[in-house]
Amino acid sequence: MMVGSELVWMSLTDVAGAIRRREVSVSEVVDASLKRIETVRPILNAFIDVFIDVFIDEAREAAQQADSRLQRSTPTAPLFGVPLAHKDMFSRLGKRASGGSRIMADVEPKATATVMRRLDEAGAINVAALNLSEFAAGPTGHNEHFGHCRNAWNPAHISGGSSSGSGAATAAGAVYGAIGSDTGGSIRLPASFNGLAGMKPTWGRVSRFGAMPRAWSLDTVGPLTRTVADCALMTSLVAGYDPRDSTTSRLPVPDYTRSLGRSVSGLRVGISSDYFRDDISDEVATLFDDACRVLQDLGCQVEVIDVPDPGAYDAIANAISKSEAAAVHGRWMRERPDDYGLHGYSRTESGFHIPAAVYLDALSVRGAVVRDFVSDVFSRVDVLATPSLPFEVPTIAETDERDPARIPAMVGRITRNTRPFNYLGLPALTVPCGFTANRLPAGLQLIARPYAESTLFALGGAYERITPWKDQHPTL
């Protein structure tokens, strides 16, 4: 019989397999998750506590029902009985999502978000609601309403945002995976900062129906998990066309888990000669170079290439993000400005000062920019590799900027390597690539052409298999 400490560090795919083989009951797995939540809750502040007792009662009841079904037949649902929790911005009938804010508590959901429904259908059990930056508006995890979320490896440091709780709770062994959203790096940053795999799919690959919007032209939804295999499985389950989201692609969704184990020998990997080397610390540069040598050991052809200036895309994405966020929040910011925290307000209010012509120009040139970038870069390489963050994960105190005029520069420095790919709509996977001297994780970001998630999972999975990072866990 497995004990709780063993159960919580199993991968999502492994624990799902153990349940199907009846090596462990669903109740045992859920109880282990809930006990771990109680242990790390006061340390990490990764959970929204308002309705936590309701979640616990419902999770235990769902586990008992699942065990009854397990006695009668072998389940076919791929996530049968697996405890998950998600960024508290996805609607569920009968439950209110906070959006990390005071205001969303007054909004009654009219439907269940598609990603939540698909995970329910896959058999997962939802055990908690996860903290996030207010209205998904920041890359650090600061939240003045529910408290700042903390890094699973060192609680003095940021967990990354805006999917802060998704990163910290998964890394801490409290849940086996979590769904987040990514408008400028909000999946990849908390995944990187907490030593996880995180996938920002191609824009339109995963439905956003029922997800709280930040900037509809940039928003994407995807998983944060402890292994690439888990990430591939969860992406396969939530991706695909949804008639309730007209922006979703009708392209068939492959089983991304089938790309795992595929040879990556001969795959062409490009590393930028300039932009992604700017502002990089010596420690992160060393870890990134080491990761590139591992890719070469796998048989990849790694070469330095010139890349169209991503800084321009970062600036355009910023204009779109702020403009659309201002449109979403206009009425609330006029009627309830005091219900916003400093970071959330300053990140949104500035959108009212962006001229409509600038916003429309940013959208109108997008198609041509994406075509040119894809044609230029991916005619020469199959994957572009960058550091997920070009410097060591900072502390909460270092990023608790109180001067609204200085917040944009702080945000821009953290998101400089991730935000450009939201504007381009490209899939991007981050995987752990080691630790800096302060024992905080660093991430390797892999980017591919639209809808080439399978290539990223193949490469990320191959890299993960011959590196030790996924087997290391924080000691909370």
Side-chain angles (χ1 to χ4, degrees), residues 153 195 283 287 433-442 469 472-473:
W153 291 87
E283 284 190 72
L287 292 173
C433 67
F435 293 83
T436 52
N438 59 5
R439 294 300 299 163
L440 270 293
W469 315 124
Q472 301 191 29
H473 309 302

Side-chain angles (χ1 to χ4, degrees), residues 105-275:
D106 297 334
V107 178
E108 188 71 40
K110 295 181 173 60
T112 295
T114 297
V115 287
M116 298 294 100
R117 177 178 55 79
R118 288 178 176 173
L119 291 173
D120 291 345
E121 291 169 352
I125 294 178
N126 196 29
V127 296
L130 298 178
N131 202 355
L132 66 152
S133 302
E134 181 186 20
F135 286 120
T140 63
H142 284 75
N143 189 303
E144 296 176 36
H145 307 304
F146 296 97
H148 309 327
C149 188
R150 299 177 177 275
N151 191 289
W153 291 87
N154 185 334
H157 290 252
I158 62 173
S159 60
S162 58
S163 308
S164 51
S166 300
T170 303
V175 292
Y176 293 91
I179 293 293
S181 68
D182 193 312
T183 307
S186 290
I187 290 170
R188 290 159 289 162
L189 293 172
S192 172
F193 296 3
N194 288 277
L196 302 172
M199 168 59 81
K200 181 202 87 67
T202 307
W203 189 83
R205 179 82 285 190
V206 177
S207 173
R208 297 168 300 169
F209 174 80
M212 179 191 72
R214 177 64 192 168
W216 56 86
S217 298
L218 307 172
D219 292 343
T220 50
V221 172
L224 299 84
T225 61
R226 292 200 290 270
T227 71
V228 174
D230 294 349
C231 202
L233 175 59
M234 285 189 70
T235 305
S236 295
L237 294 172
V238 300
Y241 174 69
D242 178 11
R244 290 169 295 185
D245 179 354
S246 61
T247 67
T248 50
S249 170
R250 292 178 179 267
L251 289 174
V253 178
D255 180 353
Y256 295 123
T257 63
R258 292 185 177 179
S259 63
L260 303 169
R262 194 175 80 196
S263 172
V264 296
S265 181
L267 204 67
R268 300 168 301 164
V269 178
I271 55 178
S272 170
S273 59
D274 43 30
Y275 178 87

